[in-house]
Amino acid sequence: MKFTLKVMKHKLLLTGASGFVGQRFLIYNKEKYAISPVSLQRVAADAINYDGIDGIVHSAGMAHQMKKIEDQVYFDVNYTLTKQLADAAKAAGVKHFIFISTIKVFGEHQKAVLTENSPCLPTNDPYGESKLKAEKYLQSIEDNEFVVSIIRPPLIYGPGVKGNLFRFLELGNKPYPLPFKNIDNRRTMVFVDNFIELINRIIETKQSGIFLASDRSPISTEKLIGEIRLGLGKERNLFSISGFLRSVLAAFKPEFALRLFGSLEMDTSNSFKRLNYTPPYSIEQGIKSMVDWYKSTLNH
């Protein structure tokens, strides 16, 4: 007679399941964990059934919006709902709370390479301020029975990406030359599947603290657009613009110029060492995955 040992899956509550990261987390981990998605827009935090839940992955939030919205909306969603969820979960005996924060808590214009201990100065940025306020509250209620893990990701890319990166994909698909040659900046980004593997590692090790997320190395704007065009089956077809034109662009479109030419780098080595973690996917694999998804949208 054979006996099979049944391994109990982690039971997780996931917020933000309809978002970019949440959707991918569900697909990626459908066999690995028993995941219950919940919408805080539809169900009050104290009305959720927490029975048997081992941990919460709180990925819901109000991300930075290009269009103007009231500052209070960021605080209502990113701080107040997080506080209500954490309070209810802790009272119900949930042991682990994973909060998806953002690199924006450091502020927009940090010139040094960022670490977990870099100063947080999200001045005049309600998105970064509201996430930082939520982080501080979660740390204030943490104890031995309620472990809090905070992850600060940079720009996340991959299948289903939206916003500026989707526009970058569209730009890469254009037939004309693009002015991105010799832009050797260093920007930390993270492929969504590497990000999910990091979350999984935190679930499994149940480690407390602040963690930074990234791919194995930073990427330049030139390499990013080059890899996108490679994935689209096109020539790189890039040219360089003068320092004068860059300075003119910086004067008239400072935020746009900063994203194109500026560096924003995080040193994630300490986070990875604490978790004994290495991103399993290369930047090239991540960009190819994103570009393949983008190509599939062109056929619909």
Side-chain angles (χ1 to χ4, degrees), residues 40-257:
L40 295 177
Q41 301 295 327
R42 295 177 187 163
V43 184
D46 58 5
I48 295 169
N49 181 5
Y50 297 97
D51 288 349
I53 296 296
D54 299 303
I56 293 174
V57 178
H58 182 37
S59 74
M62 176 61 73
H64 180 72
Q65 303 291 306
M66 300 309 289
K67 62 181 186 295
K68 178 68 178 169
I69 63 170
E70 292 296 321
D71 290 359
Q72 190 58 43
V73 175
Y74 288 105
F75 287 92
D76 289 345
V77 175
N78 295 335
Y79 169 68
T80 304
L81 284 182
T82 300
K83 178 181 183 298
Q84 290 169 353
L85 180 65
D87 286 344
K90 182 176 181 180
V94 176
K95 303 295 186 187
H96 193 192
F97 194 98
I98 299 169
F99 179 57
I100 310 302
S101 188
T102 173
I103 191 175
K104 295 287 188 181
V105 299
F106 292 115
E108 277 288 346
H109 304 292
Q110 295 273 11
K111 290 191 175 143
V113 175
L114 299 169
T115 70
E116 296 90 338
N117 297 317
S118 294
C120 291
L121 304 164
T123 314
N124 299 322
D125 174 19
Y127 173 51
E129 288 175 347
S130 59
K131 284 285 194 177
L132 183 60
K133 188 174 181 181
E135 284 188 14
K136 289 179 176 177
Y137 181 75
L138 291 171
Q139 289 173 316
S140 76
I141 65 168
E142 182 177 21
D143 57 33
N144 291 336
E145 296 299 314
F146 187 71
V147 173
V148 172
S149 308
I150 294 165
I151 313 175
R152 295 173 176 170
L155 183 63
I156 306 170
Y157 68 95
V161 75
K162 299 172 185 174
N164 287 331
L165 257 181
F166 187 82
R167 287 190 278 276
F168 219 59
L169 288 165
E170 292 180 312
L171 190 60
N173 200 32
K174 302 294 184 189
Y176 41 76
L178 295 172
F180 299 128
K181 192 173 182 181
N182 297 325
I183 301 178
D184 56 354
N185 55 345
R186 292 172 65 84
R187 296 195 75 86
T188 297
M189 294 168 53
V190 64
F191 174 40
V192 65
D193 290 359
N194 280 337
F195 185 50
I196 290 166
E197 284 284 359
L198 180 77
I199 297 171
N200 291 354
R201 188 70 187 145
I202 290 170
I203 290 166
E204 286 148 20
T205 60
K206 203 176 174 183
Q207 285 207 50
S208 164
I210 292 171
F211 301 91
L212 306 183
S214 75
D215 286 334
R216 296 173 197 165
S217 60
I219 189 171
S220 68
T221 302
E222 180 182 4
K223 180 171 174 61
L224 175 60
I225 196 68
E227 288 294 326
I228 286 171
R229 285 204 143 167
L230 179 69
L232 289 167
K234 298 180 180 295
E235 295 290 327
R236 285 167 57 86
N237 203 9
L238 306 177
F239 67 92
S240 181
I241 62 172
S242 69
F244 173 73
L245 284 175
R246 288 191 191 187
S247 62
V248 169
L249 187 62
F252 287 96
K253 294 275 189 182
E255 295 299 325
F256 179 67

